[in-house]
Amino acid sequence: MATSIDVSDLNIYYGDFLAVEGVTIPIAARSVTAFIGPSGCGKSTFLRSLNRMHEVVRGARVEGKVLVDGEDLYGDDVDPVDVRRMVGMVFQRPNPFPTMSIYDNVLAGQRLNSKRMKKTDADDAVERALRSAGLWAEVKDRLDRPGSGLSGGQQQRLCIARAISVEPEVLLMDEPCSALDPISTIVIEDLIHELKAQYTIVIVTHNMQQAARVSDTTAFFNLAGVGMPGRLVEHGATEKIFSNPDESATEAYIQGRFG
Amino acid sequence: MTVVEVSRHPVRRLGDRVFAGASTGAAITILATLAGVAIFLTVEGVPGILASPDEVKSGESFLPYVGPLVFGTLLAAAIALVIAVPVSIGVALFISHYAPRRLAAVMGYLIDLLAAVPSVVYGLWGIGFLAGKLVAPYGWLEEHLGFLPFFAGPASATGRTILTVGIVLAVMILPIMTAICREVFLQTPRLHEEAALALGATRWEMARLAVFPHARSGIISGAMLGLGRALGETMAVAMVLSASGVVSWNLISSTNPSTIAANIALSFKEASGLTVNALVASGLVLFVITFVVNVAARLVVDRRKDFSGADA
């Protein structure tokens, strides 16, 4: 189910502004890849380009290739809607649909994909997704209550359940813990460890300890200077990046000398 | 940090007092006006309700007199709403989520302009242009959909039917409803729109998942404002409709129920004595209908409050 991603020479523009320049990175299947770097270095933009979510901004476009399972996401006949069904996303702030129950939130994606589901199939899908997201025990008695009534950490796990219920190939996470307390953060991190058995996970984080804890591979992004495009400085096994990076900028960032 | 002084007489700045007084006064004025209107309608209307049939011009007691008018009022407003709600939602969604920015601005401006056209002009347009153009379609409706009671015919030769009135009213209430829908659509949290898009929603599916649920109470408020205007609209109805005081579901024939407001406008000049009281009483009925509609709308909006997303 999970697939690898191959990005080569990707430039991301907003209008005439070059936001991210020349990213080439392979992302292995069934692994966790963390993007770290200072604010505004383009790591979130790059993450969003992996399921074409950056295109919600007017004038956004890319040059280069993003191959998922050998297929270019930016091919001429590729519909971004299909891309997003294959590459799911979890956002910085938990965003369950406030007018929907927990049950309906989990099924929201599937109801887009398929016309009708049998009640038993739907029940199974909801339970499966909530179990995978580690939320089933906490909400199984109140599936008909609104998702917005849950705590922040629970809401974020509900969003993860919603994202994986459509069984995507890849799961993108854009600072999924930055709005959560430390306990909820640990729960989500444990969840990431479990999910990588099935999914290819890419996570953006501002928290370097988090990157060290959850990821197999780490990629460091930085700006060449003010007003310059963000670029990928280096990437490699998380242990190596955190202990013995090739670039001095990476070392400086990881040791907390800037950023 | 300074220690907060506890004093028996909390200091209140002059500006604060003036503003509090002014806003309280404004609020009381609204209530007083409303109460004044209600009292006037009741005091003047009750004799009209109690008048015997031979004392008023219509020659009917009050209930049979006002019944068809209430029916006509509700029917015309309902037709207007049925037409205007989907159109205004569609236009608002186009402006807020589909149109290129420059076109959206122009469209918004034009819609607002539509709201500034006086109702007498809509009346002229309805009678001078629309009614004539609708004669042929009404004939078609009678021929092909005549089995429905709405289109039983015989189709009016002038086009001055309750359906024409409903269409004119729909155009009149479109701007306010579109403006409100557009505003609430634009306020949809980016977060929820992106949640829908990231699940692989098309733009229309995103509207259904994120925009409409968020805008639900706003859409209802807009529809109620439009309904209020449609219920009370006088001039356009009085000009367009050829009314004959019947109760009929037939929307395209030349015998149509009148509406309360149009009936008051058309009858008031020649009315005297208890007939005036009867007209005022029909105004009281319209007042009550509008009140009930607003309460109903409020109840609908409050239902499922947990799911409103107000805390998200």
Side-chain angles (χ1 to χ4, degrees), chain B residues 11-31:
Chain B
V11 179
R12 293 194 56 195
R13 286 171 189 275
L14 180 65
D16 237 10
R17 282 207 302 268
V18 169
F19 185 74
S23 61
T24 311
I28 290 172
T29 311
I30 290 284
L31 288 178

Side-chain angles (χ1 to χ4, degrees), chain B residues 38-263:
Chain B
I39 290 168
F40 163 78
L41 287 174
T42 313
V43 170
E44 292 288 309
V46 167
I49 295 173
L50 300 175
S52 68
D54 49 352
E55 286 176 304
V56 294
K57 207 175 162 210
S58 62
E60 290 175 303
S61 59
F62 185 67
L63 276 181
Y65 171 66
V66 82
L69 294 176
V70 170
F71 176 81
T73 306
L74 293 176
L75 183 60
I79 295 170
L81 214 55
V82 165
I83 298 171
V85 165
V87 174
S88 62
I89 289 175
V91 173
L93 193 64
F94 177 75
I95 294 175
S96 65
H97 284 84
Y98 281 85
R101 202 170 297 173
R102 209 171 290 167
L103 180 62
V106 173
M107 290 272 300
Y109 179 71
L110 288 178
I111 297 282
D112 290 343
L113 207 63
L114 217 52
V117 176
S119 66
V120 64
V121 174
Y122 282 108
L124 282 174
W125 173 71
I127 194 172
F129 176 80
L130 189 65
K133 295 280 180 219
L134 285 174
V135 172
Y138 287 164
W140 185 90
L141 282 174
E142 183 196 0
E143 197 175 322
H144 296 275
L145 294 171
F147 56 89
L148 293 171
F150 306 122
F151 307 122
S156 162
T158 56
R160 295 170 60 186
T161 72
I162 192 94
L163 184 54
T164 308
V165 168
I167 295 170
V168 173
L169 288 178
V171 176
M172 293 179 69
I173 65 179
L174 205 60
I176 181 76
M177 289 170 58
T178 304
I180 290 175
C181 287
R182 182 188 58 195
E183 286 310 308
V184 290
F185 288 176
L186 284 172
Q187 283 164 14
T188 311
R190 186 69 176 270
L191 220 53
H192 298 144
E193 292 180 357
E194 292 195 342
L197 289 176
L199 283 173
T202 61
R203 240 195 289 200
W204 165 241
E205 287 165 337
M206 179 207 36
R208 269 180 23 221
L209 275 176
V211 179
F212 292 155
H214 171 81
R216 187 169 158 277
S217 62
I219 293 172
I220 294 174
S221 307
M224 287 310 126
L225 272 177
L227 184 58
R229 185 164 179 199
L231 286 172
E233 176 49 40
T234 310
M235 212 50 225
V237 180
M239 287 168 77
V240 172
L241 194 62
S242 85
S244 51
V246 294
V247 173
S248 162
W249 288 104
N250 194 338
L251 304 182
I252 59 171
S253 80
S254 51
T255 51
N256 295 287
S258 187
T259 72
I260 293 175
N263 180 61

